[in-house]
């Protein structure tokens, strides 16, 4: 089948919380080396739980040089674990214990324990910096285990408490270990390629025994194995390789052991095939099976079709429904070298439930048997995830740099803008104080450490942390107890280098909008500076609002279209001079359900603060609020012609057709005028480093004379539910508007807003008569995203609309450039659009 190897769906499935916070892991499966008291027992070590005294705490302070305390989780079956999350003991503000560092040990059988190391061989993982924030760490390489231990590590004797979660999925391969000859070194002309198994977790003497490693780490090798050094690992890193010379028998034998007797359908071997370096796919494989104590005498033999393409690929070997708990395969050389990067097994997983304890974790809610997302071949899951992990590995670095540069640019542009000059000055001081505040519990660590360590946190917004934005926000100074004093000036100066604040990706704050969707994402530093000032909007008397229509609803609230009487008094004159005194004004009212939890409320207040700062003629303004009583409301402008999508759908281009049908028309110039305004509003947002995340015609409102204002109601409207793609029954994403890096990596930046702008422009030129990629299903759109990533000229671009001159289509295409750096800025787009208008 033509499986799409980078399917993000699969990776999402395999970053699923395994049940500490969700409760699927039973109390009796959580144990610890010791406990401080009954109320800090192991079972209270669940991430995000506040039961007992708020966390697991060991009996005695943890000493440096003596790591022996641990919190242990038994998952009841083997799992592929890709991510871990930790948190300290907060206990409503009473607790202040957390683990700054920790190690992980794991075991597949409960007796042999292995210390986890990252790909550089480092065991210690940076943990928490305060008692409340959840810190997520990717496990690179991932762990395949049933038991996992978290072991707090300290640099001085201190009390430590932990709450933890594991993320991953069941390990359906069932492979417990493979034994293979040690990988060798290949001398290339310029440098050697080390083809050893660098993450093997078993014993390595003359051969590798009792472990798993690179062949199961889900990371596929490159076509050209000599190039891995470009990604900061040594040449040949992804591969384990052997040379014919060392094997007089002509084959390499690998033995695979499984957790139980399985009914095997296939084995997939990812092989390199780089002829020019004398590397080829094996020319034959012979496999023996063992189900009890004896090896079956008749082996299975298979010879792949070898072709001349030098690309690495999976070779699928049919195992013909053999029953076995161990398989021994002899791979025959076809050339001087043979290089493998992954081996996976597919077996009858239906039997799983009957012979083993039922899996402890729930599948994502929407993964039902009839769900197409579940029909994907599970066997590939691990590989595919690994591939994705590999991509992320490579790209995260690049994107961090891009973002960094953008911040720089934005800051410089900002500085040059007279109107923002004073704000910048103010922001630098406020932001650095807050920054220092946030970390002043933790004097021993410097800020530069923070930056480097946080870069890998939160790289998967679509993972569990995506659901947690509110938590971060509610810990910001103004929402937590304000008794702590800001840190001294000297701390402050270490924060700001060269007068320019910089932040890691991890400092991005996602706001959960009233409708349960994320609204703007902005850098935390900006957030801090925003919160430093008073809200400039006033309370509006609720009774003066007249309900007209429900615009949309979401998890936490509703958006109503209302008429507001006497709103004029509340409105700042600068933008609303054209509204007559006595007429009621059309407004959108975002309303938080009165039963919304505290986090949602805090988010809502935060959103008010952000919205109140947005002042641009092309951005919807916050007019007033009702926050003295429930339900909390946010009153924003609404425009008489509704949203741009509906507006254009009702109109036709100028021409014969329109004349005949008598339909209202919009001229090309007015289309351009509207597009230019959107670009202008986005230029403003990007100058503040705001990322909209959901730019589309449905989110632009149309007023008199084709004026446009950008809003963010789209996601809450049933009308547009078809524009969003639902993942795990939770997050919804406008995939047809999203850049490839947003879909595959969960990266939302101004550059991804630029991508969405390109799609919006396309919608406009099509008069919104067609959904983008309307001929593709959601799954195909995601596959197409993969083609954008691979960039092998197989990606499908949106076609040039009939009305669209080449110059405009060129702008669209530039917005969809693969390389985010090569996409134009909103300044450039705005300028280019102005040039197009006659
Ligand atoms: C693999 O080879 C590299 C490069 O020589 C070396 O640094 C590393 O320690 C080796 N790893 C193992 C597990 O042998
Ligand atoms: C293995 O699975 C196949 C297909 O699911 C089935 O036809 C076969 O009977 C099974 N073999 C055994 C020994 O259970
Ligand atoms: C492997 O090496 C043997 C000698 O050890 C040689 O006879 C054989 O032709 C080689 N095979 C390949 C495919 O290079």
């Amino acid at each position: 089948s033509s499986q799409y190897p980078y399917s993000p769906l699969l990776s999402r499935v395999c970053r699923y919380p395994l049940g500490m916070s969700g409760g699927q892991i039973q109390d009796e499966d959580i144990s610890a080396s010791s406990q401080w008291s009954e109320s800090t027992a192991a079972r209270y070590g669940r991430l995000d739980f506040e039961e007992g005294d708020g966390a697991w705490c060991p009996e005695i302070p943890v000493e440096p040089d003596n790591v022996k305390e641990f919190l242990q989780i038994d998952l009841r079956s083997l799992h592929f674990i890709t991510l871990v999350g930790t948190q300290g003991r907060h206990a409503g503000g009473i607790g202040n214990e957390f683990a700054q560092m920790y190690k992980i040990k794991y075991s597949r059988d409960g007796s042999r324990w292995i210390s986890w190391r990252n790909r550089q061989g480092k065991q210690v993982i940076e943990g928490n910096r305060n008692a409340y924030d959840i810190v997520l760490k990717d496990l690179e390489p991932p762990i395949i285990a049933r038991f996992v231990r978290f072991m707090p590590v300290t640099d001085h004797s201190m009390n430590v408490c932990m709450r933890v979660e594991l993320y991953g999925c069941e390990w359906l391969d069932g492979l417990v270990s493979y034994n293979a000859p040690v990988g060798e070194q290949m001398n290339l002309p310029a440098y050697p390629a080390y083809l050893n198994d660098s993450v093997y977790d078993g014993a390595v003497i003359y051969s590798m025994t009792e472990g798993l490693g690179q062949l199961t780490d889900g990371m596929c090798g490159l076509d050209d194995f000599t190039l891995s050094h470009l990604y900061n690992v040594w040449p040949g890193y992804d591969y384990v390789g052997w040379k014919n010379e060392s094997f007089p028998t002509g084959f390499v034998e690998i033995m695979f052991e499984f957790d139980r007797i399985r009914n095997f359908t296939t084995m997939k071997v990812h092989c390199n095939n780089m002829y020019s370096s004398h590397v080829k796919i094996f020319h034959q494989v012979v496999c023996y099976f063992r189900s009890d104590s004896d090896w079956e005498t008749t082996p299975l033999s298979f010879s792949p079709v070898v072709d001349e393409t030098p690309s690495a690929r999976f070779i699928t070997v049919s195992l013909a429904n053999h029953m076995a708990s161990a398989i021994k395969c002899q791979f025959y050389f076809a050339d001087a070298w043979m290089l493998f990067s992954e081996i996976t097994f597919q077996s009858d997983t239906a039997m799983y439930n009957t012979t083993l304890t039922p899996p402890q974790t729930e599948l994502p809610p929407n993964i039902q048997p009839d769900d197409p997302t579940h029909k994907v071949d599970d066997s590939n899951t691990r590989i595919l995830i690994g591939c994705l992990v590999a991509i992320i590995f490579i790209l995260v670095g690049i994107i961090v740099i891009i973002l960094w540069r953008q911040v720089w640019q934005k800051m410089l542009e900002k500085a040059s803008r007279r109107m923002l000059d004073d704000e910048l000055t103010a922001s630098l001081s406020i932001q650095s104080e807050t920054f220092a505040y946030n970390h002043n519990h933790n004097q021993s660590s410097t800020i530069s450490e923070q930056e480097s360590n946080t870069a890998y946190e939160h790289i998967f917004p679509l993972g569990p942390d995506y659901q947690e934005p509110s938590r971060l926000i509610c810990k910001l100074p103004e929402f937590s107890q304000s008794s702590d004093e800001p840190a001294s000036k000297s701390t402050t100066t270490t924060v700001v280098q060269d007068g320019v604040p910089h932040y890691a990706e991890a400092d991005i704050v996602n706001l959960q909008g009233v409708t349960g969707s994320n609204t703007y994402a902005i850098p935390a530093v900006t957030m801090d500076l925003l919160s430093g000032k008073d809200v400039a909007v006033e309370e509006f008397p609720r009774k003066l609002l007249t309900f007209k229509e429900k615009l949309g609803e979401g998890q936490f609230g509703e958006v109503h279209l209302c008429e507001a009487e006497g709103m004029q008094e509340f409105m700042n004159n600068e933008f609303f001079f054209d509204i007559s005194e006595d007429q009621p004004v059309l407004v959108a009212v975002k309303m938080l359900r009165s039963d919304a939890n505290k986090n949602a409320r805090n988010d809502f207040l935060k959103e008010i603060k952000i919205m109140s700062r947005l002042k641009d003629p092309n951005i919807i303004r916050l007019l007033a609020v009702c926050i003295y009583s429930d339900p909390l409301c946010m009153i924003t402008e609404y425009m008489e012609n509704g949203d741009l999508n509906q507006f254009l759908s009702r109109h036709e281009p100028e021409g014969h057709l329109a004349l005949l049908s008598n339909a209202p028309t919009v001229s090309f110039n007015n289309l351009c005028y509207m597009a230019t305004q959107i670009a202008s509003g986005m230029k403003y947002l990007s100058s503040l480093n705001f990322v909209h995340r959901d730019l589309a015609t449905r989110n632009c409102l149309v007023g008199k004379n084709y004026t446009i204002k950008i809003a963010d109601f789209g996601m809450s409207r049933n009308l547009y539910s078809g524009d969003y793609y639902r993942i795990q029954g939770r997050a919804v994403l406008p995939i047809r508007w999203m850049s490839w890096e947003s879909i595959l990596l969960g990266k939302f930046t101004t550059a991804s807003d630029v991508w969405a702008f390109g799609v919006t422009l396309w919608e406009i030129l099509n008069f919104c008569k067609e959904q983008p990629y309307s001929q593709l299903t959601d799954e195909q759109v995601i596959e197409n995203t993969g083609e954008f990533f691979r960039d092998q000229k197989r990606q499908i671009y949106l076609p040039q609309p009939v009305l669209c001159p080449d110059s405009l289509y060129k702008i669209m295409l530039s917005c969809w450039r693969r390389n985010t750096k090569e996409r134009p800025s909103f300044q450039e787009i705005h300028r280019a659009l102005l040039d197009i208008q006659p």
Side-chain angles (χ1 to χ4, degrees):
S1 69
S2 61
Q3 269 300 322
Y4 167 61
Y6 305 109
S7 171
L9 285 175
L10 293 171
S11 73
R12 283 178 188 125
V13 171
C14 213
R15 297 176 74 83
Y16 208 69
L18 296 181
M20 285 297 276
S21 44
Q24 296 91 338
I25 296 173
Q26 303 295 309
D27 281 350
E28 61 262 31
D29 292 330
I30 310 171
S31 55
S33 51
S34 71
Q35 65 192 41
W36 171 261
S37 65
E38 192 47 40
S39 57
T40 60
R43 65 177 180 279
Y44 298 115
R46 298 173 182 271
L47 194 88
D48 210 17
F49 258 57
E50 294 280 353
E51 317 286 270
D53 271 342
W56 161 71
C57 312
E59 184 180 5
I60 49 168
V62 172
E63 303 291 335
D65 322 321
N66 189 8
V67 181
K68 58 174 194 207
E69 301 292 348
F70 61 80
L71 177 63
Q72 175 177 320
I73 300 159
D74 177 359
L75 294 166
R76 292 298 183 109
S77 62
L78 290 177
H79 280 72
F80 189 75
I81 301 160
T82 55
L83 188 71
V84 288
T86 59
Q87 200 179 11
R89 187 178 84 92
H90 188 234
I94 304 163
N96 192 26
E97 298 85 8
F98 53 92
Q100 292 176 339
M101 295 174 282
Y102 60 96
K103 291 185 188 179
I104 284 183
K105 276 196 179 181
Y106 60 94
S107 175
R108 287 186 274 274
D109 56 9
S111 63
R112 191 169 76 92
W113 288 88
I114 304 159
S115 293
W116 179 84
R117 294 166 188 275
N118 73 6
R119 293 193 188 272
Q120 284 73 43
K122 200 174 151 222
Q123 290 187 19
V124 175
I125 303 175
E126 291 295 326
N128 298 90
R129 294 184 177 276
N130 57 47
Y132 38 79
D133 284 331
I134 294 172
V135 171
L136 298 172
K137 290 286 178 183
D138 274 283
L139 294 180
E140 263 303 325
I143 287 175
I144 296 160
R146 170 177 163 178
F147 303 91
V148 178
R149 282 178 182 173
F150 287 82
M151 314 187 70
V153 175
T154 58
D155 52 11
H156 58 277
S157 172
M158 64 188 285
N159 289 314
V160 164
C161 302
M162 291 186 94
R163 286 178 282 170
V164 304
E165 178 63 287
L166 299 167
Y167 303 86
C169 58
E170 270 207 79
W171 174 236
L172 295 171
D173 281 37
L175 187 61
V176 178
S177 73
Y178 60 79
N179 301 349
V182 175
E184 298 175 84
Q185 177 176 329
M186 182 193 291
N187 292 314
L188 299 167
Y191 40 73
Y194 299 102
L195 300 167
N196 61 2
D197 192 334
S198 51
V199 298
Y200 193 71
D201 64 13
V204 183
I205 309 172
Y206 299 111
S207 65
M208 303 186 279
T209 53
E210 302 284 310
L212 294 173
Q214 261 179 291
L215 296 182
T216 53
D217 71 349
M219 199 157 156
C220 296
L222 301 171
D223 287 349
D224 185 344
F225 64 93
T226 64
L227 294 182
S228 15
H229 59 286
L230 297 182
Y231 306 104
N232 281 331
V233 287
W234 60 77
Y237 179 87
D238 307 326
Y239 288 99
V240 184
W242 305 271
K243 58 172 179 257
N244 177 33
E245 237 172 69
S246 320
F247 297 85
T249 51
F251 62 79
V252 171
E253 185 174 275
I254 307 182
M255 184 163 85
F256 305 92
E257 298 202 70
F258 298 85
D259 52 352
R260 59 177 172 83
I261 296 174
R262 288 170 172 262
N263 181 343
F264 286 96
T265 51
T266 48
M267 166 174 76
K268 296 186 182 182
V269 187
H270 191 260
C271 309
N272 191 278
N273 198 35
M274 196 172 159
Y275 283 72
S276 55
S277 298
H278 302 287
V279 177
K280 266 189 208 160
I281 291 169
F282 54 91
H283 89 85
Q284 193 193 12
V285 59
V286 175
C287 293
Y288 296 82
F289 298 85
R290 189 187 70 195
S291 50
D292 299 316
S293 51
D294 299 322
W295 290 99
E296 277 176 29
T297 44
T298 44
L300 178 151
S301 160
F302 172 81
S303 301
V305 183
V306 181
D307 63 43
E308 298 290 329
T309 32
S311 56
R313 84 279 308 266
F314 275 103
I315 302 293
T316 303
V317 180
S318 168
L319 298 180
N321 289 112
H322 272 79
M323 301 293 293
S325 61
I327 303 178
K328 184 168 72 180
C329 291
Q330 297 164 347
F331 297 91
Y332 284 82
F333 286 92
D335 206 328
W337 285 87
M338 196 159 59
L339 270 58
F340 297 164
S341 75
E342 282 294 308
I343 301 183
T344 71
F345 289 88
Q346 292 70 48
S347 54
D348 186 3
T349 51
M351 293 170 63
Y352 208 74
N353 290 342
T354 59
T355 50
L356 263 195
T357 340
Q360 296 295 299
T361 54
E362 274 176 11
L363 282 173
N366 71 332
I367 308 281
Q368 299 298 330
D370 61 344
D371 186 319
T373 57
H374 198 50
K375 294 212 181 89
V376 285
D377 182 352
D378 240 336
S379 63
N380 278 338
T381 310
R382 190 170 43 75
I383 306 155
L384 310 185
I385 286 131
C387 290
L388 194 74
V389 168
I391 297 159
I392 286 155
F393 228 61
I394 295 158
L395 289 170
V396 156
I398 299 168
I399 289 168
V400 167
I401 292 164
I402 292 169
L403 194 94
W404 227 103
R405 284 179 51 135
Q406 278 176 356
V407 173
W408 253 105
Q409 278 169 10
K410 295 291 140 57
M411 277 311 189
L412 293 176
E413 281 159 14
K414 223 174 174 181
S416 68
R417 281 163 151 253
R418 226 176 339 125
M419 58 178 280
L420 286 175
D421 255 356
D422 51 348
E423 200 155 339
L424 181 68
T425 328
S427 71
L428 284 177
S429 55
I430 292 168
Q431 160 263 323
S432 43
E433 272 176 25
T434 347
F435 215 126
Y437 166 86
N438 280 337
H439 303 296
N440 71 354
H441 300 292
N442 196 359
Q443 257 89 5
S444 62
S445 63
T446 65
I447 294 301
S448 59
E449 267 174 21
Q450 300 259 351
E451 307 282 23
S452 58
N453 292 331
T454 47
Y456 274 81
E457 293 163 22
H458 302 269
I459 57 170
F460 254 148
L462 295 167
D465 60 324
Y466 202 55
Q467 311 297 332
E468 316 294 352
S470 48
R471 210 177 319 279
L472 188 55
I473 288 164
C474 69
K475 305 307 180 197
L476 285 172
E478 70 189 295
F479 289 114
S480 59
Q481 72 277 38
S482 52
S483 57
D484 290 66
E485 286 168 11
S488 68
K489 273 279 182 310
S490 61
T491 327
T492 307
T493 48
T494 59
V495 179
V496 182
Q497 271 180 10
D498 312 328
V500 178
H502 52 277
Y503 54 87
E505 295 278 296
D507 295 325
I508 301 283
V509 175
N510 293 317
L511 266 192
Q512 191 159 37
V514 62
T515 48
S517 62
N518 282 291
T519 55
Y520 303 114
I522 62 166
V525 289
T526 315
M527 192 75 226
D528 289 347
L529 75 91
L530 289 172
S531 61
K533 298 179 183 174
D534 289 327
V535 180
V537 284
E538 289 180 52
E539 179 79 8
F540 187 79
R542 212 179 279 275
K543 58 179 188 294
L544 298 182
L545 292 172
T546 314
F547 174 84
K548 286 197 63 152
E549 184 186 325
K550 186 151 101 183
L551 288 175
E553 71 183 308
Q555 195 184 351
F556 297 110
E558 297 186 350
V559 185
H560 293 173
L561 180 63
C562 293
E563 275 176 357
E565 260 177 74
M567 181 53 86
Q568 287 80 353
E569 290 169 33
F570 288 82
M571 299 196 306
N572 200 321
N573 297 337
E574 45 191 316
F575 287 118
F576 305 99
F577 44 83
D578 60 339
I579 294 172
S580 64
E581 277 294 317
D582 39 359
Q583 266 176 16
V585 183
L586 218 45
V587 293
V589 179
K590 277 193 184 187
M591 211 173 281
L592 188 71
R593 283 192 216 294
S594 26
D595 59 351
N597 61 23
K598 213 165 105 197
N599 286 341
R601 289 175 77 90
N602 280 341
D603 270 12
F604 195 79
L605 295 174
K606 211 72 178 176
E607 194 180 344
I608 289 176
K609 293 206 167 186
I610 291 175
M611 289 287 291
S612 69
R613 296 288 156 202
L614 295 180
K615 291 187 181 155
D616 184 88
N618 299 117
I619 304 284
I620 281 291
R621 286 281 300 270
L622 178 64
L623 301 175
V625 294
C626 312
I627 48 176
Y628 291 171
S629 61
D630 278 339
L632 303 185
C633 292
M634 209 184 298
I635 305 173
T636 68
E637 292 179 272
Y638 196 77
M639 311 275 277
E640 55 214 39
N641 284 318
D643 73 67
L644 180 57
N645 189 292
Q646 289 184 300
F647 179 79
L648 284 178
S649 311
R650 292 194 297 266
H651 288 73
E652 295 288 341
E654 283 178 333
H656 293 299
L657 217 63
L659 277 179
L660 288 177
S661 67
N662 224 351
T665 60
V666 180
S667 69
F668 176 73
N669 283 352
N670 281 329
L671 290 184
C672 282
Y673 174 54
M674 292 192 287
T676 311
Q677 293 175 75
I678 298 173
S680 175
M682 291 308 295
K683 189 170 93 174
Y684 172 77
L685 279 188
S686 67
S687 75
L688 298 175
N689 290 326
F690 279 40
V691 180
H692 188 289
R693 292 166 168 249
D694 192 14
L695 182 59
T697 53
R698 64 182 169 274
N699 270 328
C700 299
L701 299 181
V702 187
K704 281 201 190 76
N705 300 325
Y706 306 104
T707 52
I708 295 280
K709 287 175 194 263
I710 300 169
D712 67 332
F713 308 132
M715 187 139 6
S716 62
R717 306 188 63 176
N718 277 337
L719 184 60
Y720 296 117
S721 59
D723 289 346
Y724 296 92
Y725 182 66
R726 189 166 286 276
I727 299 157
Q728 293 189 4
R730 300 200 275 185
V732 284
L733 293 176
I735 51 171
R736 289 162 198 271
W737 282 260
M738 279 164 70
S739 66
W740 69 267
E741 77 274 8
S742 300
I743 294 180
L744 288 182
L745 307 174
K747 286 289 172 187
F748 293 86
T749 60
T750 296
S752 57
D753 275 353
V754 165
W755 181 296
F757 178 84
V759 181
T760 308
L761 195 55
W762 182 91
E763 289 186 272
I764 293 175
L765 270 298
N766 271 317
F767 275 76
C768 300
K769 298 288 191 280
E770 193 190 322
Q771 202 190 30
Y773 306 108
S774 57
Q775 74 284 13
L776 302 186
T777 63
D778 284 347
E779 284 70 26
Q780 286 168 331
V781 169
I782 291 171
E783 282 183 29
N784 192 37
T785 305
E787 295 299 349
F788 270 104
F789 166 74
R790 281 180 289 196
D791 204 20
Q792 292 166 342
K793 307 276 176 286
R794 287 200 298 254
Q795 63 270 48
I796 302 168
Y797 290 88
L798 289 168
Q800 181 165 1
V802 181
L803 273 183
C804 179
D806 291 348
S807 55
L808 259 184
Y809 191 53
K810 246 173 75 187
I811 297 179
M812 289 179 204
L813 290 176
S814 69
C815 295
W816 305 324
R817 284 187 188 138
R818 180 182 188 279
N819 185 343
T820 49
K821 273 189 229 165
E822 288 171 10
R823 292 178 206 154
S825 66
F826 280 112
Q827 274 86 354
E828 287 162 342
I829 294 173
H830 185 236
R831 219 173 299 130
L833 287 172
L834 285 175
D835 287 345
I836 285 173
Q837 280 187 68

